[in-house]
C-alpha cells in the first residue's frame, strides 16, 4: 500500500484538499500560531498588570461565583486541548504502520520520537477532564433555581475538585519526558518536511475541531507538537487563579495549595530545559531565542513607565503589556528595540531622591503598611473575605506604584546608531543579572537580522517566561492573607538555644520573617588585585522600609575589612542577596561577585550566626541574626545617627563596633596616602571642607567615606582631630585624669607603664579600644618621621589635649592648683608615655559576634 496515498486519503476524509506541493511552494508556518479564543475568561490567560481593569470581589458569594466561572473555563480549555492532542495523534497509527513497509514515511524510531509521551499525556488530561466535567454538571443540577431559596456560598462550598487537580499535578512527570524529547521531535518533523513531500503535505494540513460550533482550525504538525509544552507551563497560573477564588475555609484550599507547590516545583526547571519555547523562526534557517525577560521601569521619555523587557539572542525588545478585554487575548504593544551588536552598557546608582519624590514614596509605603495590617486583621472568618479581596486589590495597585517610583539603579543602553534608552531597577542584583546576560550576548559574534517587529511583538505572549511584575502581594510565593502565627520556641536542650520567631505562611506553606534582620559584614578575601570595595545587601518582602543597604568602601586592599552592621525592617522576607562591588575613581563600579541566601526561620534567631559566602572568586564573611516583632508604620524620613558631638559609647552601640567608623576610616585613609605628607596632623586642612565632611558623616556613612577618598589628606586628618575635640566626654574619661597624673610620678619605667595600663584597662571598652587603635595608628605615622617630620612627641603634643582633659568641676574650681600649662604638659606626657610602649595591646575594632556553632561556609 502506498503510504502517500494513505496520507492523501486521510486528508480527504478531513475535507482538506491534498494538492502536491513542491518544496519551493511550501511557505513557512508560524510555529507559535495564535490559539482560538474558546473561553473569554480562561484562567490560562496570564494575570493582567493593568490592575484597575481587574474586577474586585465584593462578597463571598461573588468570590465563589468567580470560582465557578474559572472552573467552567478550565473545562472548556481542557476540551479544546484534548481536541488538539487528538489531531496530533490522528496520523500516528498510519505512520507507525508505514514504518514497516519498503517506503516508510518515518522510521519506527522517528515515530517513537515524534509522539513520545503524547498518548500518555492525552489519557491523563482525558481522565482529569471527565472527572471535572462530571462534578461541575452534578453541581449545576443541584443549584437552586431562580425562584428557589438557596445560598450560593453553601453550594459553592459543597463543590470539591481539589483532589482532581492534585492527582493531575502528581502526573506532570509525563511532561518531563516530553520536554526533554521536544527539541529532537521538532528536528525530525522539520527534516522530514523538507525531504519527503508526502510528510510535508501531512504536516502542513492538520485539522482540529475547536469550540462548541465544531469550527475547524488548521494547524501545522509543529504547531500541534508545541501545544503540550505551552500547556504545562501555564499550570501554575491556572492553579493560582483558582486558589485566589477559593476561600481558605473551603475544603479545596489545602489541596490546591499542595498542587500549586508541586506544580511550581516541577516547572522551576522548564524554562531552562525548554529552549524551544523561547524560539522564533527567522529566515535563512536562523533561530532567534528568548534568553531572559522581566519587568523594568523605562525612563527613556522623561517619565517612569512599567514595561516588559525581552532579551533575545540578537536584540532587546521593550514592550507595553495590553490587558485583554473580554473575549480577546492578551497583547503586547511595541515600544522600542536595540540590536545587541555594539551595544554599550553603563550603570549608576542615584540614592539621593529629591524631597518631593521622598514624600511620595513615604505616602505609598504608609498606605501599603495600612492595607497590610488591615488584611491581617480581617483575614479569618467569612465576614472578612469581601473586605480582604478589596484590600488585596488596593495593595496590588499601591505596590505597583511603589515598584514604578522606587528604583534608584539606572542602566543606560547606548547603541552605535546613536539611540539610547534608560532603564531603572530597584535591585542591584537584578540589574547585574541583566547586565551579565546582555554583555555575554554582545561579546559573541552577532549577525544582526532586521526583525519583523510586528511578528516578534505578537510572539511575546507565547514566549514570555515572566507573567507579571514582581508584586509581593500577588506572586505565588507571597504570604497569604492570614493573621501572624507566632512559632513556639524550641524546647531547650544541651545543644539548642531558645528561639522566638514571628512567621507568616505563604501560599506554599513556607515561613516568612517579620521583624528586624541584622547583617554584620566583616571582611572579604580572594581579590585578584587591591581594590576599594563595598558590599551591597538586599532583602525581599514588602518594601515598607528600604530593602537595600551598603557598607562603606574599603581602602585599597586585597583583604578589605568593614565590620559594619546593617539593619533591615522586614515583612515576609525569604531571601538575602549580597554583591561585592569594586569602586574606582572616574570609572563605573564593577560587580566582582554576587550570591543569594535563603532566610530560613528555623536557623535564624537573636544570636549572631557567622558564615562565609562564596561570591564567585570573592569570599565574604558575614554574621546574621533576626529579632521578631511587629513592624511600626514607616517614618517620613530615614533615621539619622549622627556621630560628631555624641558620646562614644552611643556611637559604637548604634554602629555595632568597638571603634567608630569615622575614626577607622580617617586613620586608614591617612595611612593609605598621607604617611609621606610633611606635617601630617600638624598642618590643618580647609575648615569648610572639614565641616562638610563632618555633616556628611552625621547623615550617610557611605557617602562620607566616598568623599573621604577624594578629599585632600590634611582635610582627612582634620576630620579625625575634630571628632575627638568635639566628644562631650574625652576619650580617656575625665575622672581618670588624676590617676594618670599620679602614674607619671612613678620613677621606674616598667612600674609606670603597669600603672598606666591599669588605668586604661579600667576605662569602658569602646574608649579603651579606640584609644589603643589611635595609638597604633600614630606609631605607624611616626615610623615615617624621616619623611613626614612627625615624631612621637610631635603627635603627642597634637593629640594629648583632645584625648585627655580635666574634669569640668576641677576646671571651674577656684584656687585650683593646676594651671592650664601644667594640664597641657600632663596631657602630652600621658599620650607620649603610651606611644613609647613597644608592645601595645591590640585594639578590638568590632564587637564579638557570638555564634551557636563554628564558622560555616556557604558555597554558592
Amino acid at each position: 500500500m502506498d503510504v502517500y496515498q494513505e496520507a492523501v486519503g486521510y486528508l480527504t476524509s478531513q475535507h482538506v484538499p491534498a494538492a502536491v506541493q513542491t518544496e519551493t511552494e511550501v511557505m513557512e508556518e508560524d510555529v507559535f500560531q495564535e490559539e482560538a479564543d474558546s473561553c473569554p475568561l480562561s484562567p490560562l490567560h496570564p494575570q493582567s498588570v493593568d490592575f484597575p481593569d481587574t474586577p474586585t470581589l465584593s462578597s463571598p458569594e461573588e468570590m465563589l461565583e468567580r470560582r465557578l466561572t474559572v472552573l467552567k473555563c478550565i473545562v472548556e480549555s481542557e476540551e479544546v486541548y484534548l481536541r488538539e492532542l487528538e489531531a496530533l495523534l490522528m496520523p500516528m497509527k498510519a505512520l507507525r504502520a508505514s514504518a514497516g513497509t519498503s517506503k516508510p514515511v518515518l522510521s519506527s524510531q522517528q515515530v517513537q520520537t515524534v509522539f513520545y509521551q503524547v498518548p500518555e499525556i492525552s489519557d491523563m488530561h482525558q481522565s482529569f477532564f471527565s472527572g471535572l466535567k462530571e462534578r461541575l454538571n452534578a453541581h449545576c443540577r443541584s443549584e437552586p433555581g431562580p425562584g428557589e431559596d438557596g445560598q450560593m456560598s453553601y453550594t459553592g462550598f459543597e463543590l470539591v475538585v481539589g483532589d482532581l487537580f492534585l492527582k493531575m499535578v502528581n502526573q506532570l512527570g509525563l511532561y518531563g519526558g516530553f520536554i526533554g524529547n521536544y527539541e529532537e521531535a521538532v528536528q525530525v518533523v522539520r527534516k522530514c518536511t523538507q525531504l519527503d513531500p508526502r510528510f510535508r503535505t501531512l504536516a502542513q494540513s492538520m485539522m482540529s475541531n475547536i469550540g462548541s460550533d465544531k469550527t475547524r482550525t488548521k494547524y501545522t504538525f509543529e504547531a500541534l507538537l508545541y501545544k503540550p509544552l505551552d500547556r504545562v507551563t501555564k499550570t501554575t497560573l491556572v492553579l493560582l487563579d483558582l486558589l485566589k477564588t477559593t476561600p481558605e475555609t473551603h475544603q479545596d484550599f489545602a489541596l490546591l495549595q499542595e498542587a500549586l507547590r508541586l506544580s511550581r516545583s516541577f516547572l522551576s526547571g522548564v524554562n531552562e530545559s525548554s529552549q524551544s519555547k523561547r524560539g522564533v523562526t527567522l529566515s535563512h534557517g536562523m533561530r532567534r531565542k528568548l534568553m531572559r525577560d522581566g519587568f523594568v521601569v523605562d525612563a527613556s521619555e522623561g517619565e517612569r513607565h512599567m514595561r516588559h523587557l525581552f532579551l533575545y539572542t540578537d536584540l532587546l525588545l521593550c514592550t507595553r503589556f495590553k490587558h485583554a478585554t473580554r473575549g480577546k487575548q492578551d497583547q503586547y504593544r511595541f515600544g522600542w528595540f536595540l540590536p545587541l551588536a555594539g551595544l554599550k552598557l553603563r550603570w549608576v546608582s542615584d540614592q539621593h531622591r529629591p524631597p518631593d519624590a521622598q514624600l511620595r514614596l513615604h505616602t505609598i509605603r504608609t498606605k501599603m503598611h495600612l492595607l497590610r495590617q488591615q488584611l491581617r486583621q480581617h483575614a479569618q472568618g467569612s465576614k472578612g473575605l469581601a473586605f480582604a479581596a478589596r484590600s488585596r486589590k488596593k495593595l496590588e495597585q499601591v505596590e505597583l506604584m511603589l515598584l514604578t517610583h522606587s528604583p534608584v539603579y539606572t542602566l543606560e543602553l547606548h547603541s552605535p546608531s546613536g539611540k539610547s534608552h534608560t532603564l531603572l531597577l530597584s535591585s542591584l542584583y537584578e540589574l547585574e543579572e541583566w547586565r551579565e546576560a546582555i554583555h555575554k550576548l554582545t561579546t559573541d559574534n552577532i549577525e544582526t537580522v532586521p526583525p519583523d517587529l510586528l511578528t516578534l511583538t505578537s510572539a511575546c505572549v507565547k514566549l514570555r517566561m515572566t507573567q507579571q511584575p514582581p508584586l509581593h502581594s500577588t506572586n505565588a510565593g507571597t504570604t497569604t492573607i492570614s493573621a501572624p502565627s507566632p512559632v513556639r520556641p524550641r524546647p531547650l536542650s544541651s545543644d539548642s538555644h531558645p528561639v522566638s520567631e514571628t512567621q507568616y505562611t505563604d501560599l506554599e506553606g513556607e515561613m516568612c520573617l517579620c521583624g528586624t534582620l541584622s547583617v554584620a559584614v566583616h571582611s572579604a578575601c580572594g581579590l585578584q588585585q587591591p581594590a576599594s570595595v563595598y558590599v551591597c545587601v538586599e532583602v525581599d518582602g514588602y518594601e515598607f522600609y528600604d530593602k537595600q543597604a551598603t557598607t562603606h568602601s574599603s581602602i585599597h586592599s586585597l583583604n578589605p575589612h568593614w565590620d559594619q552592621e546593617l539593619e533591615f525592617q522586614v515583612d515576609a522576607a525569604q531571601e538575602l542577596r549580597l554583591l561585592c562591588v569594586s569602586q574606582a575613581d572616574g570609572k563605573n563600579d564593577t560587580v566582582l561577585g554576587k550570591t543569594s541566601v535563603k532566610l530560613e526561620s528555623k536557623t535564624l534567631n537573636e544570636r549572631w550566626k557567622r558564615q562565609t559566602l562564596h561570591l564567585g572568586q570573592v569570599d565574604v564573611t558575614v554574621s546574621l541574626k533576626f529579632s521578631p516583632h511587629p513592624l511600626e508604620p514607616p517614618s517620613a524620613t530615614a533615621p539619622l545617627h549622627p556621630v560628631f558631638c555624641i558620646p562614644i559609647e552611643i556611637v559604637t552601640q548604634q554602629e555595632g563596633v568597638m571603634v567608630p567608623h569615622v575614626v577607622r576610616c580617617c586613620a586608614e585613609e591617612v595611612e593609605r596616602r598621607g604617611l609621606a605628607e610633611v606635617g601630617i596632623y600638624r598642618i590643618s586642612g580647609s575648615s569648610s571642607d572639614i565641616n562638610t565632611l563632618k555633616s556628611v558623616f552625621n547623615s550617610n556613612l557611605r557617602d562620607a567615606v566616598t568623599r573621604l577618598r577624594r578629599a585632600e589628606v590634611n582635610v582627612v586628618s582634620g576630620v579625625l582631630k575634630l571628632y575627638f575635640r568635639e566628644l562631650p566626654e574625652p576619650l580617656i574619661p575625665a575622672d581618670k585624669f588624676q590617676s594618670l597624673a599620679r602614674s607619671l610620678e612613678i620613677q621606674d619605667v616598667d612600674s609606670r607603664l603597669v600603672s598606666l595600663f591599669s588605668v586604661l584597662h579600667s576605662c569602658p571598652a569602646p574608649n579603651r579600644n579606640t584609644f589603643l587603635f589611635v595609638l597604633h595608628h600614630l606609631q605607624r605615622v611616626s615610623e615615617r618621621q624621616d619623611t613626614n617630620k612627625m615624631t612621637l612627641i610631635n603627635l603627642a603634643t597634637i593629640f594629648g589635649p583632645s584625648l585627655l582633659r580635666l574634669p569640668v568641676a576641677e576646671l571651674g574650681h577656684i584656687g585650683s592648683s593646676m594651671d592650664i600649662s601644667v594640664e597641657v604638659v600632663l596631657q602630652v606626657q600621658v599620650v607620649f608615655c603610651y606611644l613609647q610602649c613597644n608592645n601595645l595591646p591590640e585594639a578590638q575594632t568590632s564587637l564579638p559576634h557570638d555564634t551557636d556553632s563554628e564558622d560555616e561556609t556557604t558555597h554558592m
Side-chain angles (χ1 to χ4, degrees), residues 168-185:
M168 186 263 290
V169 169
N170 277 317
Q171 300 179 64
L172 283 181
L174 294 173
Y175 280 97
F178 177 86
I179 293 171
N181 177 75
Y182 178 82
E183 194 68 49
E184 186 177 354

Side-chain angles (χ1 to χ4, degrees), residues 519-522 550-553 561-566 655-657 661 664 701-702 846:
V519 182
V521 183
H522 301 300
T550 58
T551 66
H552 63 78
S553 56
H561 285 76
W562 299 278
D563 287 323
Q564 187 172 347
E565 188 175 325
L566 308 176
E655 291 183 347
V657 294
H661 288 301
R664 290 178 53 193
L701 174 62
R702 184 171 184 272
S846 61

Side-chain angles (χ1 to χ4, degrees), residues 334-628:
F334 171 76
W336 50 262
F337 88 97
L338 289 175
L340 296 185
L343 188 66
K344 301 297 182 182
L345 307 179
R346 177 177 178 269
W347 73 268
V348 294
S349 171
D350 183 14
Q351 301 286 347
H352 300 286
R353 298 187 180 97
D356 58 336
Q358 195 68 37
L359 179 61
R360 183 190 303 116
L361 286 180
H362 169 66
T363 304
I364 296 173
R365 287 173 170 172
T366 302
K367 181 66 173 177
M368 278 183 60
H369 186 271
L370 177 62
L371 291 170
R372 174 73 167 155
Q373 297 303 318
Q374 291 175 348
L375 284 170
R376 288 174 177 163
Q377 295 170 5
H378 298 82
Q380 297 179 342
S382 58
K383 293 183 179 180
L385 289 177
F387 180 85
R390 289 194 298 269
S391 297
R392 190 197 301 266
K393 185 54 59 182
K394 292 179 182 178
L395 183 60
E396 292 173 357
Q397 296 171 351
V398 175
E399 193 176 0
L400 181 64
M401 190 181 303
L402 180 65
L403 196 65
T404 304
H405 292 285
S406 63
V408 294
Y409 288 102
T410 301
L411 180 61
E412 298 176 355
L413 309 170
H414 302 282
S415 173
S417 64
K419 294 183 179 179
S420 298
H421 291 280
T422 302
L423 304 177
L424 300 175
L425 297 97
S426 301
S427 165
L428 178 58
Y429 192 96
E430 184 181 355
L431 183 146
E432 179 61 13
E433 288 186 326
W434 275 106
R435 192 203 64 78
E436 286 179 345
I438 296 173
H439 179 72
K440 183 178 183 301
L441 294 172
T442 55
T443 54
D444 295 338
N445 185 18
I446 302 175
E447 179 183 357
T448 303
V449 178
D452 180 348
L453 295 177
L454 182 61
T455 302
L456 193 62
T457 305
S458 300
C460 289
V461 175
K462 295 290 185 182
L463 302 179
R464 59 184 174 181
M465 296 174 280
T466 305
Q467 304 293 341
Q468 59 186 4
L471 301 181
H472 210 73
S473 51
T474 57
N475 286 347
T478 60
T479 54
T480 58
I481 308 304
S482 59
S485 54
V487 176
R488 296 179 180 178
R490 302 181 204 158
L492 293 175
S493 63
S494 59
D495 58 349
S496 65
H497 303 276
V499 179
S500 176
E501 301 165 335
T502 301
Q503 304 172 339
Y504 302 97
T505 306
D506 66 9
L507 287 177
E508 296 180 7
E510 296 187 3
M511 292 301 189
C512 309
L513 303 182
C514 177
T516 299
L517 177 67
S518 300
V519 182
V521 183
H522 301 300
S523 60
C525 61
L527 272 66
Q528 301 301 307
Q529 57 186 6
S532 179
V533 178
Y534 64 90
V535 174
C536 177
V537 183
E538 301 176 350
V539 294
D540 61 351
Y542 286 98
E543 195 177 343
F544 303 132
Y545 293 86
D546 288 334
K547 298 194 299 182
Q548 185 183 85
T550 58
T551 66
H552 63 78
S553 56
S554 69
I555 61 171
H556 277 68
S557 171
L558 282 173
N559 301 290
H561 285 76
W562 299 278
D563 287 323
Q564 187 172 347
E565 188 175 325
L566 308 176
E567 195 172 88
F568 301 90
Q569 303 299 308
V570 298
D571 187 2
Q574 292 179 286
E575 187 180 53
L576 179 76
R577 294 172 169 179
L578 286 93
L579 301 97
C580 190
V581 187
S582 174
Q583 188 177 44
D585 293 336
K587 298 181 180 179
N588 295 339
D589 292 356
T590 303
V591 176
L592 303 178
K594 68 182 190 304
T595 190
S596 60
V597 179
K598 186 175 182 181
L599 297 175
E600 298 181 348
S601 57
K602 61 183 179 181
T603 60
L604 286 176
N605 51 52
E606 296 186 19
R607 293 193 61 181
W608 288 101
K609 182 177 181 181
R610 191 182 184 98
Q611 54 188 316
T612 299
L613 305 176
H614 291 301
L615 287 70
Q617 296 182 342
V618 182
D619 293 347
V620 177
T621 302
V622 300
S623 294
L624 304 179
K625 72 174 181 179
F626 172 67
S627 177

Side-chain angles (χ1 to χ4, degrees), residues 6 10 86-97 115 202 206 221:
E6 181 179 292
Y10 161 75
E86 180 183 1
L88 176 60
L89 291 170
M90 185 69 71
M92 183 181 69
K93 184 177 180 181
L95 290 172
R96 184 174 290 169
F115 296 101
L202 174 67
M206 303 182 72
F221 202 119

Side-chain angles (χ1 to χ4, degrees), residues 289-361:
K289 294 182 180 179
L290 178 64
M291 309 304 293
R292 179 183 176 89
D293 72 308
F295 286 86
V296 299
V297 176
D298 181 17
S300 303
E301 300 175 359
E303 297 183 358
R304 298 188 175 208
H305 299 284
M306 185 64 64
R307 295 292 183 257
H308 200 157
L309 189 67
F310 293 83
L311 173 62
Y312 292 91
T313 48
D314 63 335
L315 61 86
L316 263 176
L317 175 66
C318 183
T319 65
R320 177 183 178 184
F321 180 66
K322 181 183 179 182
H323 174 53
T325 56
R326 187 178 181 88
K328 296 185 178 180
Q329 196 175 30
D330 295 336
Q331 295 179 0
Y332 281 94
R333 289 181 177 177
F334 171 76
W336 50 262
F337 88 97
L338 289 175
L340 296 185
L343 188 66
K344 301 297 182 182
L345 307 179
R346 177 177 178 269
W347 73 268
V348 294
S349 171
D350 183 14
Q351 301 286 347
H352 300 286
R353 298 187 180 97
D356 58 336
Q358 195 68 37
L359 179 61
R360 183 190 303 116
L361 286 180

Side-chain angles (χ1 to χ4, degrees), residues 826-842:
L826 287 174
Q827 291 167 335
V828 173
Q829 286 181 347
V830 168
V831 174
F832 182 61
C833 285
Y834 279 116
L835 285 173
Q836 285 181 307
C837 181
N838 294 324
N839 55 348
L840 281 174
E842 289 295 327

